[in-house]
Structure formats: structure tokens, C-alpha cells
């Protein structure tokens, strides 16, 4: 697939000597939602800031929609919208004025009809004449998205878009991101809410200590790295795991009512058939059975821990 | 050139002037009027004419220049410092705008504001003293040149400043004393020879002198020298601004 953003060997060392990025190479595909995961200080915001022109890379090259972000910065930035993590707004301006200003700043001629559509899509139309300082945090976040969309970008960076917002707004944001993708916008979001990436992303990149340690299709990642568990709810409580089942590496719950078996979905043999056979042989009956796949969060934590 | 961006920055900055009309326009006009009442009316009536000009009229160019210097610096430094302070500078840095377009937008708006104030101050002065402008074209040329030059200087201060204290430091400790000692209220010919020589190191002397020449046709220093010094300061400010954008000084990491 043709990359819409191509990052080649980008490194960043700040004046303090802190190495925020180490030889990052990454391609973002056109039309996808890419989630960049990483703990605080991993380099997510630095990477986005370099692509958007806010921070200078020490080495490396970035191409956005076919344009070098340094040599052809006008064409590149024209395609990019950015919603930063911090709620930085012109408190004394009205919603309409600030969004219109953003459109002009990015070189677009005035288009009140388009601004109206953006504000309506973001449920901001009623607030268009309100000063930003009078809006709630969630509304301010929407204003920042409206500003980023005002010049009709094809690439949208969302840096921690739902940090500090309530559950309802988070759901709204997710729906908004999906609808933007449907309209053809490529979305790169950074988050440390794993469920956010799990809910929305097509692909996931994990960054830690300035290095990209993994890029994978979300589904493939979960399939590849995911552990699965079977929990058996027993008809009669057990005092201990019978010797005949010891080799299955089972966990017995404190009350003796549940047996849990973990297995690797990628393994040649999962051992489930043998386990069920051995349970029947041992005369252990169960009332219910359920399976659980490890979440992206667990995968992420394991990955970061392994590389630390 | 991204003219839409230049227009957007310019309009945004000018909108702030009109939103804060009392602070932006009325306050400087009021303080300038007070100067006229005190120095022009009360004290000036007891001072003899200077080069055939009444003291009240003599201080008009100096007062306008004082207003232009302080307002140009204040408007331009605040204009670029405020987005840095609240964090909205990210948008400017990520927009497809060149450094020249940013400077035209911010400095243009700041210079427009101070030029407006200068002209309002001039109109206010006409209520207090009879005014005749000998070289009106040169008067406007000096006025706009000063506005642009000192707005550029203010822009540099706004980028350099890390906090509000630093933002006020240079205008308060350097610019205002230089403006007061630059012949705004007197001719440097009235000073003893040593102080006259020292005063010639003050760039404001040349601005005030040139501006006063455009009003009355007489000056402390030659008009060519005044113009050259003003242009030299403009070029120096342009060079510093170019360096700032080339290196990203206090704008980009």
C-alpha cells in the first residue's frame, strides 16, 4: 500500500542531550487509522511535532503526501491537520473567529459554508458566537478539532485526543474519528489508552524510549501475541488440583470453583482437547466454560516490559 | 506567497485592538493629552520659543515619537509573545507560512496600530496647539518607518522573552529612558557640549530630530543622517528576525 506519510531514519536529540527519538522509520498508509502507543516520555509527541514542523529533527527525512516536510513545507503542511494534546485555545476569541482564522492561516480562502458544516458535525454550531473561555473542556477539545479540520486536511494527527475527557465524549470522539476516516482522512493518533487503539485502530505502532519496537495490524498483533484463557466453572469445588491434571499447569481459584488454563493461540497444539479428556477421566464436571483473549493493553505492557 | 495567512494573522491581531479599544486606543491618547496639558500648557507657557517654535508645538513630534516607539514595541512584542505564552503558537509553526509572511502579518498589524495611534495623537495635539507641518510626506514616511522598525524590534523582544517580566524589561529599562533622553521634550542643542555628544549615541535622537524636521524644517542633526540611522536600525532588526527564523531561536526545539 502507498504510504501517505513516510518517516525515514528520524532521530531527535534535544539541546539538553536527551535523545527523544532514535532512528525511527515508519510508514503510515493512506486512509488508515494508525495508533501510536507508548508510555509517557516515549517520543510520541516529539515524532508528531517533527512531522508537523513544530520541532526540528536532528537527522532523517519525512515525506507527507509526496512532499518533503522541509523542502516542500508549504505543500506538506497544507495537507496536515494537528490536534495537540494540550488544550491551547484563544480564550477571548469566538469559536467562529478562531476556526476561520485557522483556515486562513493554512492558506485556504474563506468558505463559511464549510466552516458551518465542520461546526455542525462537531456539535459546535450553537456555540459559534461564544467565547472559547466560556466553553467546557470537552467543547474546547472539539474546537481544537474544528481548527485542525478547517483547512480540509487529508492527514490528521490527534495527540492524545481523549486525555481528560469523560466517557460520553470519548465515545463521540471515536465516532467522529471513524467518520473522518470514512471521508478519506488518514488518522494518526497517539494514546496511552489502550482500549482507544483497540477500539479504533487498523494498525498499531509501539514506541518506547524513542524507538519503534513494533508495527503491526491490530488484529494480527492480537492474534500473534495474544494469550488466551479458558475458565471452567466447576460443578463441585476442589481443595486442590488433582495429580492427574498437574501437568496441564492449571490455576485453581481461592474458593475452588474455577479452573483457569492459559494457552498460546499460535501454538501448534493448544492442549485443550487433552485437558478436557483428562478432566472427564478425573471425574471433574463443569457447569460453564468461557474464553478470554488478552487485551492490547496486556500485550503492550508485556512488550514494553520485555524491551525495558 | 500565502496571502490568506498574512491576511488571517493581520485581521486576528487587528481584531484584538478593536476588542480592547479602551486599552489599545483611548489609554495612550489620554496619557498623551495629559503631556500636552502639563508640558505644553502649564509648563510650556513659561518656556521661551525654540527655533521660532512655541514649546507646546515643539514637543508635538517628540510626543508622537514617544507614543510610536512604546506602542510599536508593546503591540508587536505582546502579539507574538501571547501565542507563545498560551501555547497556540503550535498552529503558527505547523501552518504553511514562511517567516516573511509571519513577520508581515504580526509586524504589519502592530505597525498599523501604532501608526493609527500616532495619527490620533497628532489630531489630539491639534486641539492644544496650532500646527503646521512643513513636509507632510516626509512626516508620514518617518512615522511609518518608525512604526515598522520598532514593531520589528518589539517582535524580537516578544520572541526573546520567556516571561512577562522580560517582556517589559527592555521597553521599561532601555526604550523609555532613551525616548525621554532623545530630545522628545527639548532640543539637544540646549544641552552642555559633553551631554550633547553623549546624546548623539542615542538612536532616538535621530528619529525625533528627523520627525521634528518634517514638522518645522529645523533639526538637531541632518535629515540624511536621521534617515540613515533609522534605516540602519531597520536593517539590523530585519537581520535579527531572519536569524531567529533560520535557527528557530526560542520558537522551535
Amino acid at each position: 500500500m502507498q504510504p501517505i506519510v513516510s518517516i525515514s531514519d528520524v532521530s531527535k536529540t534535544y539541546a539538553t542531550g536527551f535523545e527523544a527519538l532514535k532512528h525511527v522509520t515508519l510508514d503510515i498508509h493512506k486512509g488508515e487509522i494508525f495508533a501510536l502507543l507508548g508510555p509517557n516520555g516515549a517520543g510520541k509527541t516529539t515524532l508528531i511535532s517533527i512531522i508537523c514542523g513544530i520541532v526540528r529533527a536532528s537527522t532523517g527525512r519525512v515525506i507527507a503526501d509526496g512532499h518533503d516536510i522541509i523542502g516542500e513545507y508549504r505543500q506538506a503542511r497544507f495537507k496536515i491537520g494537528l490536534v495537540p494534546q494540550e488544550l491551547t485555545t484563544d480564550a477571548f476569541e469566538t469559536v467562529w473567529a478562531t476556526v476561520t482564522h485557522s483556515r486562513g492561516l493554512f492558506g485556504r480562502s474563506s468558505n463559511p459554508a464549510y466552516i458551518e458544516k465542520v461546526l455542525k458535525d462537531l456539535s459546535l454550531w450553537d456555540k459559534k458566537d461564544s467565547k472559547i473561555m466560556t466553553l467546557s473542556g470537552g467543547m474546547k477539545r472539539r474546537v481544537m478539532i474544528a481548527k485542525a479540520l478547517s483547512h480540509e486536511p487529508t492527514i490528521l494527527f490527534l495527540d492524545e485526543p481523549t486525555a481528560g475527557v469523560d466517557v460520553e465524549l470519548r465515545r463521540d470522539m471515536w465516532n467522529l474519528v471513524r467518520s473522518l476516516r470514512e471521508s478519506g482522512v488518514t488518522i494518526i493518533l497517539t494514546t496511552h489508552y489502550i482500549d482507544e487503539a483497540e477500539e479504533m485502530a487498523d494498525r498499531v505502532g509501539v514506541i518506547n524510549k524513542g524507538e519503534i519496537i513494533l508495527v503491526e495490524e491490530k488484529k494480527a498483533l492480537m492474534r500473534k501475541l495474544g494469550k488466551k484463557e479458558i475458565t471452567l466453572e466447576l460443578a463441585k469445588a476442589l481443595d486442590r488440583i488433582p495429580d492427574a491434571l498437574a501437568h496441564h499447569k492449571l490455576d485453581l481459584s481461592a474458593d475452588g470453583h474455577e479452573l483457569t488454563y492459559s494457552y498460546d493461540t499460535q501454538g501448534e497444539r493448544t492442549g485443550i482437547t487433552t485437558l478436557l479428556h483428562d478432566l472427564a477421566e478425573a471425574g471433574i464436571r463443569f457447569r460453564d466454560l468461557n474464553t478470554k483473549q488478552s487485551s492490547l493493553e496486556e500485550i503492550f505492557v508485556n512488550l514494553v516490559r520485555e524491551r525495558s | 506567497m500565502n496571502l490568506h495567512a498574512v491576511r488571517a494573522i493581520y485581521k486576528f491581531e487587528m481584531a484584538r485592538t478593536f476588542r480592547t479599544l479602551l486599552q489599545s486606543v483611548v489609554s495612550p491618547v489620554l496619557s498623551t493629552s495629559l503631556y500636552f496639558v502639563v508640558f505644553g500648557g502649564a509648563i510650556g507657557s513659561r518656556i521661551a520659543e525654540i527655533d521660532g517654535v512655541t514649546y507646546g508645538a515643539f514637543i508635538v513630534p517628540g510626543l508622537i515619537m514617544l507614543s510610536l516607539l512604546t506602542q510599536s514595541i508593546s503591540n508587536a512584542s505582546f502579539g507574538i509573545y501571547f501565542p507563545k505564552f498560551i501555547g497556540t503558537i503550535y498552529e503558527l509553526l505547523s501552518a504553511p507560512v514562511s517567516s516573511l509572511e509571519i513577520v508581515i502579518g504580526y509586524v504589519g498589524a502592530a505597525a498599523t496600530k501604532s501608526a493609527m495611534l500616532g495619527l490620533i495623537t497628532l489630531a489630539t495635539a491639534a486641539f492644544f496647539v496650532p500646527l503646521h507641518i512643513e513636509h507632510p510626506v516626509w512626516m508620514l514616511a518617518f512615522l511609518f518607518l518608525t512604526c515598522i522598525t520598532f514593531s520589528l524590534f518589539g517582535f524580537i523582544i516578544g520572541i526573546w522573552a520567556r516571561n512577562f517580566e522580560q517582556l517589559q524589561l527592555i521597553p521599561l529599562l532601555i526604550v523609555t529612558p532613551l525616548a525621554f533622553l532623545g530630545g522628545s521634550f527639548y532640543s539637544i542643542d540646549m544641552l552642555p557640549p559633553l551631554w550633547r555628544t553623549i546624546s548623539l549615541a542615542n538612536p532616538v535622537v535621530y528619529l525625533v530630530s528627523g520627525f521634528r524636521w518634517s514638522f518645522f524644517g529645523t533639526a538637531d542633526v541632518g535629515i540624511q543622517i536621521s534617515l540613515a540611522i533609522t534605516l540602519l536600525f531597520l536593517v539590523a532588526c530585519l537581520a535579527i528576525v531572519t536569524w531567529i527564523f533560520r535557527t528557530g531561536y526560542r520558537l522551535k526545539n
Side-chain angles (χ1 to χ4, degrees), chain A residues 206-238:
Chain A
V206 178
I207 186 168
N208 191 33
K209 294 182 178 170
E211 288 179 285
I212 297 278
I213 55 177
L214 178 138
V215 177
E216 187 69 82
E217 295 278 339
K218 181 187 70 186
K219 285 177 188 164
L221 176 66
M222 295 187 67
R223 210 167 44 236
K224 196 188 291 180
L225 297 175
K227 299 277 184 194
K228 217 166 179 180
E229 286 179 353
I230 292 180
T231 303
L232 302 162
E233 196 179 316
L234 304 176
K236 280 185 183 173
L238 294 175

Side-chain angles (χ1 to χ4, degrees), chain A residues 53 56 74 77 93 102, chain B residues 19 91 93 95 101 252-253:
Chain A
R56 293 163 187 259
R74 281 190 198 275
R77 292 183 193 177
E93 292 295 335
S102 297
Chain B
R19 200 172 53 236
E91 195 176 31
L93 297 178
E101 289 151 4
K252 285 188 185 188
N253 283 310

